[in-house]
Every structure is written in structure tokens, then in C-alpha cells.
Amino acid sequence: MFEYARMKVKLVVAMSKVNRRDFIKLLGVTGLAGATVGLAVPVIKYLMPSIPRAHPYPVTKLVWSDGRPVRVDELEVNKRYIFFYPLKSTPNFLINLGDANGNPVSIRVTLYTTMTPLNVEPAILNLKGRSIELTITGYGRSYVVEGVGPHKSIVAYSAICQHFGCPYPAMDFYPPGKPVPLARSEIVAKGGVIYCTCHGGAYDPYRGAAVLLAPPQRPLPFVKLEERNGELWAVEVIGATIFGKFCNTCAEEEELVGPETVVREA
């Protein structure tokens, strides 16, 4: 009887030790799990930051620095201007397209969000007449680039290269007949192009900013303009997404341009 009682006491003590050891292990595992979760949350937020919601495109009047509205009849032919839309950080070219003699050239071009570089001379160098209307094959969604103004020659394109995001002035518009500095191909040497000196990518503004020379594979996004009583308004961006953006208006609300955006001579 005494021996049985002693064995029972040993069993209780042993069970007590096991339970205590398991309990300590459980505390350790729980603490480690909590620390891991606590560390994982900021890491996930860093690697996968939240994307601000998409906003409607602002309907924005183009104005000069003194507040006067930009009118379609006062933009010089083949002179590029700069304005920001739809975000305060996204610059665009505003161009009244013309030929080498300064005559306005109307354009209406259908193209796609992705394309194979054309590798041909700019359309303006082989222009017959004062209008360009064509379709350029490609992939993805199709859209139409059409000029506005009295000659349907005023267009606006993103001033951020679609290859690596180089903005104006690294990428710039060179009117027909103006030599392109640092041109890496005879195709663009005579002008009539938007050329990026970062990596030699080129676009044809007379073909809706279609890609002339690689490495870009996407045309420049097109800022849709409207003429209202002779004044210019930006209302939307169509075509490929602006470089570096999940969507063109995915940003905090204060990052969008307001009811007016200033146009400056470049």
C-alpha cells in the first residue's frame, strides 16, 4: 500500500513537469507567432502598398500663367507647350502640328495600346496634302487620336517616355526639318518626331504618337482635348496607361489637377 502511494506521487510529479514544460513551449510558440505576424504586416504593406482608388478624370481648362484661357487660334504651329494632367506630376506636350512650311496638319489615327515599332520615317516627311488619316495595327484595345481646333491639328500627348519613364526635357518634340541632337537613327534625324535621348526611343506625333523606334512598345498616352467656344479643355487620357501608373487617376485626391491647369511655353 505504501509502495502504491509512493508510485502515485511520482506519477503526479512527472505529469506536473511535463505540463509545465509543454506550457512553456506553448508560450514560446505563441510569442514567436505573434512577433512574426507583427513583423509580417509592415513587410506586406511595404511590398504590396495599397493602391489609391481611381478617380473620375477632371474636366480641366487650359490657361496661361496669367489666368487667361488658352485659345485654339493662338497656339503657334510646330511649337510645343507643356501642361500637367490628370495629375500634378504628369506632364504633357501640347502641339499644333504642322508641316515643314508651317501649315497646320489635321490628324485622325486609329491605333492600339501595344504595337511593334514602325521603323519607318515619320509620316510628315512623306505627307501628301495637309491631313493624315490612317489605322496602325497593334494589340490590345484600339482607340482614336484626333486633333482639335480649326484645322484639327492640335493634340496633346504624355511627355513621359513609355520605355523607362524619362520625362521632358529628356524626351522632346522636334518639328519637321529640325535636326534631332544625339539621334541614333537616320529615321528620326530630320525631325517630325518625339524623341527620347535616354535610350533612343521615338514616337510619331503625326501618327497618334505611335512608336517609331524601340525600345518602347506602347504609344504615348493621348490626352483628349475639347474645344469649347475656342478654348481648350482636357477631359480624359486614352490609349496606353501613363508610364509608372497602375491607372491614370489612381492617386490621392489632392494629387489630381483642379479645374484649371497652366500651360507654359517649353
Side-chain angles (χ1 to χ4, degrees):
M1 187 71 177
F2 177 77
E3 185 64 26
Y4 172 75
R6 189 171 61 178
M7 290 177 62
K8 190 173 181 179
V9 170
K10 288 183 178 181
L11 179 60
V12 171
V13 172
M15 290 180 65
S16 175
K17 290 181 179 180
V18 170
N19 290 340
R20 185 167 57 249
R21 184 168 60 248
D22 291 345
F23 179 71
I24 293 173
K25 285 183 178 180
L26 179 60
L27 286 178
V29 171
T30 303
L32 180 60
T36 301
V37 171
L39 180 62
V41 170
V43 169
I44 291 173
K45 286 185 177 180
Y46 176 78
L47 295 176
M48 301 178 63
S50 60
I51 299 172
R53 69 181 182 88
H55 298 274
Y57 280 101
V59 177
T60 304
K61 180 189 287 189
L62 276 57
V63 300
W64 301 111
S65 58
D66 61 4
R68 292 183 300 110
V70 175
R71 299 189 58 83
V72 296
D73 56 2
E74 61 183 341
L75 296 177
E76 295 183 34
V77 175
N78 286 336
K79 182 174 184 177
R80 79 274 194 260
Y81 304 82
I82 297 291
F83 69 99
F84 289 83
Y85 182 89
L87 304 179
K88 297 174 182 177
S89 59
T90 49
N92 305 283
F93 294 115
L94 176 65
I95 309 171
N96 187 4
L97 295 171
D99 61 18
N101 297 317
N103 301 306
V105 174
S106 68
I107 71 164
R108 190 178 192 282
V109 182
T110 300
L111 65 169
Y112 293 78
T113 52
T114 305
M115 61 174 293
T116 301
L118 296 173
N119 291 314
V120 295
E121 287 189 330
I124 191 64
L125 300 184
N126 301 303
L127 178 68
K128 296 179 180 180
R130 295 182 183 174
S131 65
I132 296 175
E133 185 168 351
L134 49 81
T135 297
I136 298 173
T137 58
Y139 318 94
R141 293 180 291 105
S142 66
Y143 60 101
V144 176
V145 172
E146 186 170 15
V148 299
H151 304 286
K152 304 299 182 185
S153 57
I154 299 173
V155 295
Y157 301 117
S158 173
I160 303 173
C161 184
Q162 289 287 73
H163 170 237
F164 212 64
C166 292
Y168 170 83
M171 185 174 72
D172 205 352
F173 168 68
Y174 299 87
K178 181 178 180 179
V180 178
L182 304 176
R184 302 182 185 181
S185 169
E186 288 298 318
I187 290 176
V188 302
K190 300 176 183 177
V193 298
I194 295 174
Y195 183 70
C196 183
T197 56
C198 287
H199 304 100
Y203 308 84
D204 189 339
Y206 299 86
R207 290 191 181 100
V211 181
L212 279 181
L213 296 177
Q217 301 294 320
R218 301 186 303 168
L220 291 176
F222 172 63
V223 180
K224 186 176 180 180
L225 301 174
E226 286 185 0
E227 178 187 350
R228 302 181 180 180
N229 298 319
E231 301 172 356
L232 284 175
W233 296 71
V235 297
E236 188 181 4
V237 178
I238 61 176
T241 306
I242 298 171
F243 180 87
K245 304 300 179 186
F246 179 79
C247 77
N248 294 331
T249 59
C250 289
E252 300 299 334
E253 191 168 0
E254 61 269 17
E255 296 179 52
L256 272 72
V257 299
E260 295 182 349
T261 185
V262 175
V263 175
R264 64 180 177 86
E265 297 183 7

